[in-house]
Amino acid sequence: MGTLQFRRPRDGAVWAGTIGRGASRLEDGAFASYTTKDGLASNTVAAVLETADGAIWFATPSGASVKSADGWRRYSTADGLPSNDVNTLFEDSARNLWIGTAGGLAVMRDRRLQSLPGVPAPLRASILGLAEDRAGGLWVAATDQVLRVDREKLLRGTLGAGDLRQFSA
């Protein structure tokens, strides 16, 4: 099966997410594979991300999984995700972990999945990519447009009319 995403964490290993065979880690010429039997939410992995604390996150169509020193943990709609179909992961400069799902955006702050109060409709659509600019703006790739949102106002739930810019064809 094809590979979706490669990541090289700070320890020098290489992680690869696959379509249907879980995630694999290559280190010193040896592979270790991880599947649902190990704690991965799904054997299809759309994105892999290492966060500043050294945890490895996996975006899957059955939720987000994290492998840390504490073991495996899965996050789903039961924990507050807008959808279990997770497309993308991004850690910003303030160490907020943004989770883009088929049903919108979620954020992990201080090791807690938090709801985003007053999220406008474009941020409740399918989120495919995330990035941050130097001014602290959060860039969001959705299915049919790109958005720039004031990250701090989004986190506080105080977005105004000018705090969300939409770019489309």
Side-chain angles (χ1 to χ4, degrees):
M1 295 260 154
T3 297
L4 286 175
Q5 179 101 44
F6 283 99
R7 279 288 181 251
R8 187 176 191 120
R10 288 183 277 289
D11 68 4
V14 176
W15 282 93
T18 68
I19 301 172
R21 297 197 179 199
S24 294
R25 181 173 193 241
L26 173 64
E27 183 175 24
D28 298 327
F31 277 99
S33 294
Y34 301 91
T35 66
T36 55
K37 292 177 184 175
D38 300 295
L40 201 54
S42 169
N43 287 331
T44 297
V45 178
V48 181
L49 173 73
E50 180 187 24
T51 53
D53 63 3
I56 304 292
W57 286 80
F58 304 89
T60 83
S62 299
S65 293
V66 61
K67 184 179 186 313
S68 68
D70 297 331
W72 285 89
R73 169 92 158 80
R74 176 181 179 247
Y75 292 90
S76 69
T77 54
D79 299 296
L81 286 179
S83 167
N84 283 332
D85 191 357
V86 179
N87 300 317
T88 190
L89 303 161
F90 175 70
E91 185 178 40
D92 68 20
S93 59
R95 293 191 176 176
N96 299 306
L97 175 68
W98 297 91
I99 303 170
T101 77
L105 193 59
V107 66
M108 176 78 69
R109 297 180 77 192
D110 302 320
R111 302 185 77 154
R112 288 186 25 244
L113 194 59
Q114 298 180 356
S115 63
L116 294 166
V119 174
L123 295 176
R124 291 192 308 266
S126 186
I127 307 298
L128 304 174
L130 297 158
E132 175 184 32
D133 63 28
R134 291 181 184 166
L138 186 65
W139 287 83
V140 180
T143 304
D144 59 352
Q145 63 185 329
V146 174
L147 306 122
R148 184 193 185 274
V149 63
D150 183 303
R151 179 188 68 203
E152 292 305 316
K153 290 182 179 180
L154 176 63
L155 289 168
R156 288 193 307 264
T158 60
L159 281 179
D163 298 322
L164 176 71
R165 292 189 57 200
Q166 296 175 273
F167 303 88
S168 64

